[in-house]
Amino acid sequence: MKLTKLTFAVTAAVVAGGVTFAAQAVDGVTFKIVDGTIPESLTGKSGDPVNGKKVVVGRKKGNCLACHIMPIPEEQFHGLTGPDLHGVADRMDEAELRMRIVDPKVVSFDTMMPSFYRTGQHRVLEKFQGKTILSAQEVEDVIAYLMTLKDES
Ligand code: HEC
């Protein structure tokens, strides 16, 4: 536990100091943070947007609608804590989205948004302690779905 926190503190310091490179291993997957983004797929492949939408909607996994409005009208409740995600693919690229899902605290230290691919978080259900909320594949599937959210105009 302590070690995880320490690792995170060091990473944050490195990013804040303007160094553009940090490698992290979570769950056996190593990834690089470059300028507050994660350019490479965690699985080495692109994700499945259809499954990504399921993960986003699922209350036990992503539960993104608890905090975000998204173009999913068939779901009734959409929260207002985070920004509206309509057209998010026009504002952010894949590498930026990956950072936001894996560990948004690297780019926004005080954010309420959970880190979906980091272990050792506070305020997580016991069953998630020592585990990531999403698997590497689920992270990639969510990103593939978010990349479909372009403004129609
Ligand atoms: C507990 C609330 C909460 C949950 C759950 C949550 N988010 Fe967020 N999210 C936020 C907040 C708040 C922000 C605003 C950025 C910040 O705080 O720095 C944000 C920002 C974002 C952004 C950046 C958008 C922009 O325009 O800057 C993306 C993309 C995003 N969230 C995607 C997701 C996805 C996908 C999920 C589900 C896997 C999710 N979020 C779950 C609260 C949440």
Side-chain angles (χ1 to χ4, degrees):
M1 219 38 165
K2 220 170 174 191
L3 190 66
T4 313
K5 264 187 236 158
L6 189 67
T7 311
F8 176 64
V10 169
T11 307
V14 167
V15 172
V19 177
T20 58
F21 180 90
Q24 291 202 331
V26 174
D27 225 11
V29 173
T30 305
F31 55 88
K32 286 176 218 153
I33 299 174
V34 181
D35 269 337
T37 73
I38 303 175
E40 282 161 40
S41 164
L42 301 180
T43 60
K45 293 178 283 186
S46 42
D48 167 15
V50 175
N51 190 53
K53 184 174 177 183
K54 286 187 197 147
V55 174
V56 160
V57 170
R59 299 283 173 208
K60 294 200 175 125
K61 286 280 188 174
N63 200 15
C64 315
L65 298 177
C67 295
H68 291 285
I69 296 175
M70 299 177 80
I72 308 179
E74 62 273 27
E75 292 289 321
Q76 271 189 330
F77 178 80
H78 294 235
L80 297 172
T81 310
D84 187 333
L85 295 182
H86 280 83
V88 71
D90 296 325
R91 302 193 296 274
M92 303 178 100
D93 64 22
E94 226 181 275
E96 291 169 312
L97 289 171
R98 190 171 289 108
M99 184 80 256
R100 287 281 171 171
I101 308 304
V102 165
D103 193 356
K105 284 156 184 70
V106 170
V107 279
S108 179
F109 188 74
D110 287 331
T111 186
M112 304 245 319
M113 182 161 154
S115 301
F116 286 95
Y117 198 70
R118 182 160 81 82
T119 54
Q121 305 197 66
H122 298 290
R123 294 186 292 161
V124 291
L125 294 176
E126 211 169 314
K127 64 176 175 173
F128 287 129
Q129 273 172 15
K131 292 185 204 144
T132 59
I133 301 174
L134 300 181
S135 68
Q137 185 60 57
E138 286 166 337
V139 169
E140 293 306 323
D141 293 351
V142 167
I143 293 163
Y145 170 67
L146 293 175
M147 288 305 290
T148 69
L149 304 186
K150 305 212 183 237
D151 277 333
E152 295 88 297
S153 55

